[in-house]
Amino acid sequence: MSLVSFTLNGEPVSVEADPLLRLLDLLREDLGLTGVKEGCGEGECGACSVLKDGKIVNSCLIPVATVAGCEIVTPEGLRDTDRGKCIVEAFAESGAVQCGFCTPGMMMATESLLRKNPDPSEAEVREGLSGNLCRCTGYDMIVRGVLLAAKKGRGLW
C-alpha cells in the first residue's frame, strides 16, 4: 500500500492504495464516484473516461500510482460546472441519452473536445467521440448534442 495524493474534482485527496489498483476501481469502490462506468475494462469503450490534467483518459487503464500530484475530474465533478450543465442540457434537448450507460463517458469526451476546439465541425465531433462507444448506437443524437453544447456554451470553453 502507498499513500497517493491528488486533486479530485477540485478537492485534495490522499488515499492508501495498492499502486497498481486501477483508477476506475478506486473511484467507484473506495470513493463512491459511480459516474465512471466499467464497460470493456480494456480501454476500448470510453465508459470509464475521466480527465487527467485536462486530458481524457480511460480510468480502467490508469494505475493509481500514476495520478499522484495530478488533477482528476470525473463526471460528478463536471456536471456541476457551467460547462457540465450546458452539456447535460444539450444532451437532454438532443435526445442524446438512451440507456445512459455511455453518457458520462460521452460527456467527458465532449468536455475534452470543446476545451481544445470550442467550435467543432460534425466530422471533428465524430472524431472527438471516436474513443467512446454507445451500445444503443445513438451516435447521430449524441453528435447533435455536442454541436448544440458548443453553440449554447459559446464563450464557456
Side-chain angles (χ1 to χ4, degrees):
M1 296 294 221
S2 297
L3 181 65
V4 179
S5 299
F6 58 100
T7 302
L8 178 61
N9 296 330
E11 300 291 327
V13 173
S14 292
V15 295
E16 284 280 337
D18 178 336
L20 296 178
L21 178 70
R22 299 180 310 166
L23 178 60
L24 170 66
D25 297 325
L26 178 74
L27 294 171
R28 286 187 60 84
E29 307 300 328
D30 298 335
L31 301 176
L33 297 172
T34 57
V36 288
K37 310 292 185 201
E38 178 158 15
C40 66
E42 299 176 347
E44 297 290 330
C45 73
C48 64
S49 297
V50 298
L51 299 179
K52 178 182 175 195
D53 292 333
K55 296 182 180 173
I56 194 164
V57 296
N58 293 313
S59 64
C60 69
L61 298 178
I62 304 292
V64 167
T66 66
V67 302
C70 293
E71 180 178 345
I72 302 296
V73 178
T74 68
E76 289 88 347
L78 175 62
R79 88 174 158 220
D80 293 332
T81 66
D82 289 341
R83 296 191 309 222
K85 290 174 187 173
C86 180
I87 294 169
V88 167
E89 290 171 10
F91 273 39
E93 191 173 323
S94 299
V97 179
Q98 294 181 45
C99 81
F101 190 82
C102 71
T103 304
M106 292 289 186
M107 290 179 55
M108 300 309 289
T110 300
E111 168 67 10
S112 177
L113 170 66
L114 295 180
R115 278 183 180 198
K116 292 183 278 189
N117 180 0
D119 190 24
S121 67
E122 180 179 332
E124 291 167 329
V125 169
R126 290 186 185 278
E127 183 177 334
L129 298 179
S130 63
N132 295 72
L133 300 178
C134 171
R135 298 188 289 196
C136 304
T137 68
Y139 294 105
D140 288 342
M141 293 175 284
I142 295 168
V143 169
R144 281 197 297 270
V146 175
L147 291 170
L148 184 59
K151 180 179 176 184
K152 286 186 156 194
R154 196 156 282 148
L156 290 176
W157 286 277

